[in-house]
Amino acid sequence: MKNILITGGAGFIGSRLCEKLFDQGNNITVLDNLSEQIHGNGESFLFNKIKDKCTFIKGDVRDKNDWDNAIKNQEIIIHLAAETGTGQSMYEVEKYTNVNVIGTSHMLEILANSNHNVKKIIVASSRSIYGEGKYNCKTHGVQYPFKRREEDMKKGEFNPKCSICNSNLKVIPTDEQSKIHPSSIYGINKQQQEQMVMLMGGSLGVQSVAFRYQNVYGPGQSLSNPYTGILSIFSTRILNGNNLDIYEDGLESRDFVYIDDVVDATILGIEKEESNGEVFNVGSGISTTVKEVAESLKKFYDSDISISISGKYRLGDIRHNFADLNKAN
């Protein structure tokens, strides 16, 4: 039995993690601000699932006093609390940075300057720190394209191109040694969180583990939060009888990983000594196109909505990214 603090423990991943760790006989404390964007105005389904399985602290990671209160007597901290959503981060820069970076700094400063029982920190990092994933040019080898050119996208040429010969690059699995070059404020925040925890954990003698979660989906994911990803966005539109408009050519792809796999991986990070001081991708290792997602959801919902591929694009969107899982395996 362990005393475990989960920040953001009433959220999508945190609530499922809380349930499973509670069922294993652990004492769980949750620190969460019950953000209206995630939980609505009242007690949400996610919160009601965990409120009797933890000591719940309604608080904010931006408040050092809330951290002080939450950390007392804890042996393990699973730090999930964060503002999420790459698009939203680009116009709420201060909020994202205060929650994700300053909030994490409060935790680390308390651990550096007080007596505590914390033996391990697990931090939720993200695939967004990679920006575009890892690619290969058949002539010039491995490349990490930064962003696609508008003049190419206007012509319907959506694949990243070799910086040397301008040929189309082929996406390959992104491993943990791949170049870190985030393309959003959220990605930059996640890179900072990860680096701060791994650096300070080593300095303080607290074992630390970072998990670079891919695109997580499953039961409990909000259908009302517009920043939770395309599975939720598409599901909401289909359930409301709205047609789907897919950007680019529909062949842009992501690595979708099921919530229970993410929870299991996170718990292994607690249990396995081999995880100490390490960074891991957590995903399916499978590349799934947006077109496949749309067609699958339409079938599963037995819907008659139409799916159109518009060729529209958003500058800054990544084309592909899927995880190499060899290290985690």
Side-chain angles (χ1 to χ4, degrees), residues 49-113:
K49 283 201 307 177
I50 65 154
K51 65 181 181 181
D52 297 324
K53 297 184 176 183
C54 67
T55 299
F56 183 79
I57 300 171
K58 185 175 182 181
D60 196 308
V61 294
R62 292 170 290 187
D63 189 322
K64 205 179 233 186
N65 291 326
D66 289 338
W67 269 114
D68 261 326
N69 189 24
I71 284 175
K72 288 175 183 173
N73 301 317
Q74 303 299 334
E75 299 168 88
I76 295 164
I77 299 173
I78 303 174
H79 186 32
L80 305 178
E83 291 293 333
T84 61
T86 56
Q88 188 179 16
S89 74
M90 302 300 284
Y91 57 86
E92 294 193 26
V93 178
E94 182 179 9
K95 180 180 181 181
Y96 269 67
T97 302
N98 283 339
V99 172
N100 299 347
V101 179
I102 303 303
T104 302
S105 75
H106 289 330
M107 171 186 71
L108 295 171
E109 190 162 313
I110 289 168
L111 295 178
N113 293 289

Side-chain angles (χ1 to χ4, degrees), residues 222-223 225-238 244:
S222 172
L223 296 182
N225 182 356
Y227 302 102
T228 53
I230 64 168
L231 279 112
S232 291
I233 293 167
F234 284 3
S235 291
T236 301
R237 291 194 62 82
I238 292 170
L244 297 182

Side-chain angles (χ1 to χ4, degrees), residues 102-221:
I102 303 303
T104 302
S105 75
H106 289 330
M107 171 186 71
L108 295 171
E109 190 162 313
I110 289 168
L111 295 178
N113 293 289
S114 65
N115 294 322
H116 59 82
N117 299 320
V118 176
K119 299 178 177 64
K120 180 173 276 193
I121 305 169
I122 292 176
V123 62
S125 187
S126 167
R127 59 137 303 279
S128 64
I129 72 172
Y130 295 121
E132 278 286 356
K134 188 175 184 179
Y135 289 78
N136 188 65
C137 171
K138 61 185 178 182
T139 303
H140 299 105
V142 171
Q143 295 190 28
Y144 300 97
F146 184 66
K147 66 179 181 178
R148 295 172 287 166
R149 298 181 303 186
E150 186 170 13
E151 55 264 37
D152 291 331
M153 297 175 79
K154 280 181 177 177
K155 295 184 289 187
E157 297 175 6
F158 298 115
N159 283 316
K161 296 180 181 292
C162 175
S163 60
I164 302 169
C165 66
N166 206 41
S167 63
N168 284 340
L169 296 172
K170 180 182 178 182
V171 65
I172 57 178
T174 302
D175 58 72
E176 291 86 351
Q177 298 304 312
S178 296
K179 182 179 178 179
I180 303 300
H181 61 143
S183 57
S184 67
I185 295 297
Y186 173 70
I188 291 170
N189 287 168
K190 281 295 172 182
Q191 178 188 0
Q192 290 173 303
Q193 273 190 314
E194 178 184 306
Q195 290 178 324
M196 290 164 68
V197 169
M198 301 307 289
L199 173 70
M200 288 298 293
S203 174
L204 299 171
V206 177
Q207 298 295 347
S208 300
V209 185
F211 286 121
R212 293 172 182 169
Y213 297 141
Q214 307 297 303
N215 296 70
V216 187
Y217 75 97
Q221 192 167 28

Side-chain angles (χ1 to χ4, degrees), residues 10-11 34-35 38-51:
L34 298 181
S35 165
I38 297 167
H39 297 276
N41 291 317
E43 291 189 358
S44 69
F45 165 74
L46 294 175
F47 173 71
N48 284 324
K49 283 201 307 177
I50 65 154
K51 65 181 181 181

Side-chain angles (χ1 to χ4, degrees), residues 173-174 176 214 255 281-286 323-329:
T174 302
E176 291 86 351
Q214 307 297 303
D255 184 329
N281 288 332
V282 176
S284 66
I286 298 169
D324 183 317
L325 301 181
N326 283 317
K327 184 177 179 181
N329 288 334

